Short mmCIF file of all heavy atoms in Angstrom, two decimals:
data_model
loop_
_atom_site.label_atom_id
_atom_site.label_comp_id
_atom_site.label_asym_id
_atom_site.label_seq_id
_atom_site.Cartn_x
_atom_site.Cartn_y
_atom_site.Cartn_z
N VAL O 1 -6.30 7.99 -1.70
CA VAL O 1 -5.21 8.27 -0.81
C VAL O 1 -3.90 7.80 -1.40
O VAL O 1 -2.91 8.55 -1.52
CB VAL O 1 -5.48 7.47 0.56
CG1 VAL O 1 -4.13 7.59 1.42
CG2 VAL O 1 -6.59 8.17 1.35
N ASN O 2 -3.79 6.57 -1.87
CA ASN O 2 -2.59 6.09 -2.59
C ASN O 2 -2.39 6.83 -3.85
O ASN O 2 -1.18 6.93 -4.31
CB ASN O 2 -2.64 4.60 -2.67
CG ASN O 2 -2.04 3.84 -1.58
OD1 ASN O 2 -1.68 4.43 -0.54
ND2 ASN O 2 -1.97 2.56 -1.63
N ALA O 3 -3.43 7.16 -4.60
CA ALA O 3 -3.26 7.84 -5.85
C ALA O 3 -2.69 9.23 -5.61
O ALA O 3 -1.75 9.69 -6.36
CB ALA O 3 -4.62 7.91 -6.57
N HIS O 4 -3.04 9.86 -4.49
CA HIS O 4 -2.45 11.15 -4.23
C HIS O 4 -0.95 11.07 -3.83
O HIS O 4 -0.17 11.82 -4.27
CB HIS O 4 -3.22 11.79 -3.05
CG HIS O 4 -2.79 13.23 -2.70
ND1 HIS O 4 -3.11 14.27 -3.50
CD2 HIS O 4 -2.02 13.72 -1.69
CE1 HIS O 4 -2.55 15.38 -3.02
NE2 HIS O 4 -1.89 15.04 -1.88
N LEU O 5 -0.68 10.04 -3.05
CA LEU O 5 0.70 9.77 -2.68
C LEU O 5 1.56 9.51 -3.88
O LEU O 5 2.73 10.01 -4.03
CB LEU O 5 0.76 8.63 -1.73
CG LEU O 5 2.22 8.12 -1.34
CD1 LEU O 5 2.97 9.29 -0.65
CD2 LEU O 5 2.25 6.92 -0.49
N ALA O 6 1.12 8.76 -4.84
CA ALA O 6 1.81 8.47 -6.06
C ALA O 6 2.23 9.71 -6.79
O ALA O 6 3.33 9.86 -7.25
CB ALA O 6 0.99 7.59 -6.98
N GLY O 7 1.31 10.73 -6.73
CA GLY O 7 1.58 12.04 -7.40
C GLY O 7 2.67 12.74 -6.66
O GLY O 7 3.63 13.39 -7.24
N LEU O 8 2.66 12.70 -5.34
CA LEU O 8 3.73 13.37 -4.45
C LEU O 8 5.12 12.66 -4.76
O LEU O 8 6.10 13.31 -4.82
CB LEU O 8 3.39 13.26 -2.99
CG LEU O 8 2.12 13.96 -2.60
CD1 LEU O 8 1.92 13.72 -1.01
CD2 LEU O 8 2.24 15.44 -2.81
N LEU O 9 5.11 11.32 -4.82
CA LEU O 9 6.35 10.68 -5.02
C LEU O 9 6.93 10.81 -6.44
O LEU O 9 8.10 10.96 -6.63
CB LEU O 9 6.14 9.14 -4.69
CG LEU O 9 5.78 8.77 -3.31
CD1 LEU O 9 5.53 7.24 -3.22
CD2 LEU O 9 6.81 9.23 -2.35
N GLU O 10 6.06 10.77 -7.39
CA GLU O 10 6.51 10.95 -8.84
C GLU O 10 7.08 12.37 -9.03
O GLU O 10 8.00 12.56 -9.70
CB GLU O 10 5.28 10.75 -9.73
CG GLU O 10 4.93 9.22 -9.87
CD GLU O 10 3.58 9.08 -10.55
OE1 GLU O 10 2.93 10.15 -10.88
OE2 GLU O 10 3.21 7.91 -10.85
N ALA O 11 6.56 13.30 -8.33
CA ALA O 11 7.07 14.71 -8.49
C ALA O 11 8.51 14.80 -7.87
O ALA O 11 9.23 15.75 -8.15
CB ALA O 11 6.13 15.69 -7.70
N ARG O 12 8.89 13.80 -7.07
CA ARG O 12 10.20 13.75 -6.45
C ARG O 12 11.12 12.74 -7.18
O ARG O 12 12.19 12.40 -6.71
CB ARG O 12 10.08 13.31 -4.93
CG ARG O 12 9.22 14.22 -4.14
CD ARG O 12 9.85 15.50 -3.75
NE ARG O 12 8.97 16.30 -3.05
CZ ARG O 12 9.37 17.39 -2.35
NH1 ARG O 12 10.68 17.70 -2.27
NH2 ARG O 12 8.53 18.17 -1.75
N GLY O 13 10.63 12.32 -8.33
CA GLY O 13 11.43 11.42 -9.13
C GLY O 13 11.41 9.93 -8.75
O GLY O 13 12.21 9.17 -9.27
N MET O 14 10.42 9.52 -7.86
CA MET O 14 10.34 8.17 -7.42
C MET O 14 9.35 7.49 -8.39
O MET O 14 8.58 8.11 -9.11
CB MET O 14 9.90 8.08 -6.03
CG MET O 14 10.78 8.83 -5.01
SD MET O 14 10.17 8.63 -3.29
CE MET O 14 10.95 10.07 -2.61
N ALA O 15 9.47 6.11 -8.38
CA ALA O 15 8.56 5.34 -9.28
C ALA O 15 7.72 4.39 -8.43
O ALA O 15 8.02 3.20 -8.25
CB ALA O 15 9.37 4.48 -10.24
N PRO O 16 6.63 4.85 -7.91
CA PRO O 16 5.69 4.07 -7.12
C PRO O 16 4.84 3.11 -8.01
O PRO O 16 4.50 3.46 -9.13
CB PRO O 16 4.86 5.04 -6.39
CG PRO O 16 4.77 6.25 -7.35
CD PRO O 16 6.06 6.27 -7.98
N PHE O 17 4.55 1.95 -7.39
CA PHE O 17 3.61 0.97 -8.19
C PHE O 17 2.91 0.17 -7.11
O PHE O 17 3.20 0.12 -5.97
CB PHE O 17 4.41 0.11 -9.09
CG PHE O 17 5.23 -0.97 -8.48
CD1 PHE O 17 4.87 -2.32 -8.49
CD2 PHE O 17 6.37 -0.68 -7.77
CE1 PHE O 17 5.61 -3.29 -7.91
CE2 PHE O 17 7.19 -1.56 -7.15
CZ PHE O 17 6.70 -2.97 -7.23
N VAL O 18 1.76 -0.56 -7.64
CA VAL O 18 1.07 -1.47 -6.80
C VAL O 18 1.25 -2.84 -7.40
O VAL O 18 1.52 -3.05 -8.64
CB VAL O 18 -0.39 -1.08 -6.62
CG1 VAL O 18 -0.54 0.19 -5.93
CG2 VAL O 18 -1.10 -1.03 -8.00
N SER O 19 0.97 -3.95 -6.66
CA SER O 19 1.15 -5.31 -7.11
C SER O 19 -0.16 -6.01 -6.99
O SER O 19 -0.78 -5.96 -5.90
CB SER O 19 2.27 -6.00 -6.29
OG SER O 19 2.28 -7.34 -6.65
N ALA O 20 -0.57 -6.74 -8.04
CA ALA O 20 -1.78 -7.47 -8.06
C ALA O 20 -1.62 -8.74 -7.09
O ALA O 20 -2.58 -9.36 -6.70
CB ALA O 20 -2.02 -8.03 -9.41
N ALA O 21 -0.42 -9.01 -6.68
CA ALA O 21 -0.17 -10.17 -5.83
C ALA O 21 -0.40 -9.89 -4.38
O ALA O 21 -0.42 -10.81 -3.54
CB ALA O 21 1.30 -10.68 -6.03
N GLU O 22 -0.64 -8.62 -4.07
CA GLU O 22 -0.89 -8.22 -2.67
C GLU O 22 -2.06 -8.93 -2.03
O GLU O 22 -3.13 -8.93 -2.58
CB GLU O 22 -1.00 -6.70 -2.48
CG GLU O 22 -1.23 -6.24 -1.09
CD GLU O 22 -1.56 -4.78 -1.01
OE1 GLU O 22 -1.22 -3.96 -1.96
OE2 GLU O 22 -2.14 -4.35 0.06
N GLN O 23 -1.87 -9.52 -0.87
CA GLN O 23 -2.96 -10.13 -0.08
C GLN O 23 -3.23 -9.15 1.13
O GLN O 23 -2.53 -8.15 1.36
CB GLN O 23 -2.56 -11.52 0.45
CG GLN O 23 -2.20 -12.42 -0.59
CD GLN O 23 -3.40 -13.14 -1.27
OE1 GLN O 23 -4.30 -13.60 -0.68
NE2 GLN O 23 -3.37 -13.08 -2.63
N CYS O 24 -4.26 -9.54 1.96
CA CYS O 24 -4.43 -8.84 3.15
C CYS O 24 -3.24 -8.90 4.04
O CYS O 24 -2.56 -9.94 3.97
CB CYS O 24 -5.67 -9.52 3.92
SG CYS O 24 -5.92 -8.96 5.65
N CYS O 25 -2.95 -7.93 4.82
CA CYS O 25 -1.76 -8.01 5.66
C CYS O 25 -1.81 -9.08 6.70
O CYS O 25 -0.77 -9.54 7.27
CB CYS O 25 -1.52 -6.62 6.32
SG CYS O 25 -2.80 -6.21 7.63
N GLY O 26 -3.03 -9.56 7.05
CA GLY O 26 -3.21 -10.67 8.04
C GLY O 26 -3.67 -10.11 9.42
O GLY O 26 -3.87 -10.90 10.27
N GLY O 27 -3.70 -8.83 9.57
CA GLY O 27 -3.97 -8.20 10.91
C GLY O 27 -5.31 -8.65 11.46
O GLY O 27 -5.48 -8.94 12.64
N LEU O 28 -6.30 -8.67 10.54
CA LEU O 28 -7.67 -8.93 10.99
C LEU O 28 -7.81 -10.36 11.61
O LEU O 28 -8.35 -10.55 12.67
CB LEU O 28 -8.70 -8.77 9.81
CG LEU O 28 -10.19 -8.71 10.10
CD1 LEU O 28 -10.42 -7.37 10.98
CD2 LEU O 28 -11.00 -8.63 8.89
N ALA O 29 -7.20 -11.31 10.91
CA ALA O 29 -7.25 -12.74 11.36
C ALA O 29 -6.42 -12.84 12.63
O ALA O 29 -6.73 -13.55 13.56
CB ALA O 29 -6.78 -13.59 10.29
N LEU O 30 -5.25 -12.18 12.65
CA LEU O 30 -4.26 -12.32 13.77
C LEU O 30 -4.98 -11.83 15.03
O LEU O 30 -4.90 -12.51 16.13
CB LEU O 30 -3.06 -11.51 13.49
CG LEU O 30 -1.86 -11.66 14.50
CD1 LEU O 30 -1.33 -13.02 14.44
CD2 LEU O 30 -0.78 -10.61 14.22
N HIS O 31 -5.66 -10.76 15.01
CA HIS O 31 -6.28 -10.19 16.17
C HIS O 31 -7.58 -10.84 16.60
O HIS O 31 -8.12 -10.66 17.71
CB HIS O 31 -6.55 -8.66 15.98
CG HIS O 31 -5.31 -7.89 15.85
ND1 HIS O 31 -5.21 -6.74 15.14
CD2 HIS O 31 -4.05 -8.05 16.25
CE1 HIS O 31 -3.95 -6.21 15.02
NE2 HIS O 31 -3.24 -7.09 15.73
N ALA O 32 -8.04 -11.74 15.74
CA ALA O 32 -9.17 -12.51 16.09
C ALA O 32 -8.86 -13.95 16.52
O ALA O 32 -9.72 -14.76 16.83
CB ALA O 32 -10.09 -12.70 14.78
N GLY O 33 -7.51 -14.19 16.65
CA GLY O 33 -7.12 -15.46 17.14
C GLY O 33 -6.96 -16.49 16.10
O GLY O 33 -6.75 -17.66 16.38
N ARG O 34 -7.19 -16.16 14.83
CA ARG O 34 -7.05 -17.05 13.63
C ARG O 34 -5.62 -17.04 13.11
O ARG O 34 -5.32 -16.57 12.09
CB ARG O 34 -8.07 -16.70 12.57
CG ARG O 34 -9.49 -16.51 13.04
CD ARG O 34 -10.18 -17.87 13.34
NE ARG O 34 -11.51 -17.66 13.70
CZ ARG O 34 -12.59 -17.61 12.95
NH1 ARG O 34 -12.34 -17.66 11.60
NH2 ARG O 34 -13.77 -17.53 13.36
#
C-alpha cells in the first residue's frame, strides 16, 4: 500500500520516505485503557 503511494507521490515530484524511528501510534494501548 505505501509502496504504491510512494510511486504516486514521486510521479508528482514529491519525495516520500519512511523512518526507522517510527513506533506504534499508541492507539491499541489507548483503547485498551493502558
Side-chain angles (χ1 to χ4, degrees):
V1 170
N2 270 4
H4 184 74
L5 174 61
L8 295 178
L9 296 177
E10 287 168 353
R12 304 284 176 162
M14 303 182 202
F17 75 105
V18 295
S19 173
E22 179 188 339
Q23 303 279 310
C24 170
C25 68
L28 196 64
L30 187 67
H31 296 151
R34 307 287 181 86

